[in-house]
Amino acid sequence: MAKLCIALDTNLPQALELIKALRGYPLIFKVGYKLFISHHRAITDRVKENNFELFLDLKLHDIPNTVKEGVLSAKDLGADYLTIHISSGEEALRQAVAVKGRVKLLGVSLLTSLSEEDLKSMGVCLSKEQYVLSLAKRAVELGVDGVVCSGQEVKRLKEGIEKSFMAVVPGIRLEGDPIEDQKRVVDIEGALQSGADILVMGRSILRAQNPVKRMEEILLKLA
Ligand code: C5P
């Protein structure tokens, strides 16, 4: 069964209120730069104490030893999921995998904000699709547990990568929701049909009049 991850893209009081309101539901909370840099354990500890899974979206990208130390620190914080740029390189991925323990490493391939033109300017001659598949495949072969990708990429990646991995899909919108800055959105049914394992949702839930009711409706669709 696919899991629901709520992106805590809010300020600290709103995040704490949401965690309290959603106690008891099977959820993952994603903590990114905004909350983590300012509040660190004041947010991660609350997620864990309330028995939710913790997704640290820090997109590690550095030399192998620094990446390894970052993974160890995330492990100490009790992170269940941690993002890492696949383009950190094979040795960084190897060292991250070697120390991750029960932390699930999620590889970020190409940021969805980058275009084929950006790739060309970085000297990459592959198409966006080929580039994402080649990065994701190598990361999974090296032991990364999952890949962050758009709902439109999941099917191609699952067909193109033999070893099983978790497809983690942001950019999900319910009917009638504004798309805002996302480019390649899918709805929940589309994400599930394509084989998404974790659905990452922010504004569709955070901005609903009743976020708890909205989240309950989504969980029913995942059941
Ligand atoms: O509000 P919305 O549902 O668009 O939020 C999606 C979340 O997923 C945000 O926290 C965003 O940073 C994250 N994300 C994304 N696209 C990626 C990787 C992460 O939207 N490729």
Side-chain angles (χ1 to χ4, degrees):
M1 194 175 95
K3 290 184 175 183
L4 177 61
C5 171
I6 301 186
L8 283 175
D9 297 331
T10 64
N11 61 30
L12 185 65
Q14 283 169 335
L16 296 180
E17 202 178 302
L18 198 65
I19 289 171
K20 206 166 135 197
L22 296 178
R23 258 194 313 231
Y25 290 99
L27 296 170
I28 305 167
F29 277 112
K30 180 168 91 68
V31 175
Y33 295 159
K34 181 178 160 74
L35 281 181
F36 189 72
I37 290 174
S38 300
H39 303 290
H40 198 234
R41 295 200 87 122
I43 182 66
T44 56
D45 284 354
R46 296 299 92 70
V47 171
K48 295 299 293 182
E49 282 162 14
N50 286 286
N51 296 318
F52 293 110
E53 285 193 294
L54 173 64
F55 180 151
L56 268 189
D57 190 11
L58 300 180
K59 298 188 176 71
L60 303 186
H61 193 185
D62 215 311
I63 59 170
N65 187 59
T66 308
V67 165
K68 181 184 83 182
E69 295 298 336
V71 174
L72 287 169
S73 295
K75 196 164 136 184
D76 285 346
L77 280 181
D80 297 283
Y81 305 87
L82 173 68
T83 45
I84 176 169
H85 274 283
I86 299 171
S87 55
S88 299
E90 297 205 355
E91 187 52 27
L93 295 181
R94 269 194 208 98
Q95 294 206 19
V97 167
V99 298
K100 74 185 184 71
R102 52 174 295 284
V103 181
K104 292 174 193 74
L105 285 181
L106 305 176
V108 176
S109 53
L110 182 69
L111 292 172
T112 39
S113 52
L114 296 180
S115 67
E116 214 136 299
E117 281 307 304
D118 291 313
L119 269 188
K120 273 199 200 125
S121 73
M122 294 189 284
V124 178
C125 311
L126 299 175
S127 72
K128 215 155 124 174
E129 287 74 19
Q130 288 170 326
Y131 185 64
V132 168
L133 177 60
S134 71
L135 279 178
K137 196 170 177 177
R138 193 66 192 123
V140 172
E141 281 167 4
L142 287 169
V144 164
D145 303 275
V147 174
V148 181
C149 56
S150 88
Q152 294 169 12
E153 284 164 351
V154 179
K155 206 159 172 281
R156 198 175 330 110
L157 293 184
K158 290 244 163 157
E159 283 168 1
I161 301 174
E162 256 171 56
K163 200 172 159 195
S164 86
F165 67 95
M166 276 181 287
V168 179
V169 176
I172 297 176
R173 291 291 180 271
L174 304 184
E175 211 187 312
D177 280 343
I179 290 174
E180 297 174 89
D181 58 346
Q182 291 287 9
K183 293 211 171 69
R184 288 171 290 159
V185 300
V186 290
D187 59 16
I188 292 182
E189 291 74 12
L192 293 175
Q193 276 160 20
S194 69
D197 299 288
I198 298 181
L199 282 69
V200 180
M201 297 186 69
R203 287 163 287 188
S204 279
I205 295 175
L206 303 173
R207 293 201 187 151
Q209 264 191 344
N210 184 339
V212 179
K213 187 160 167 272
R214 171 65 60 99
M215 186 272 326
E216 281 177 340
E217 287 162 5
I218 297 168
L219 278 184
L220 277 179
K221 292 189 188 197
L222 303 194

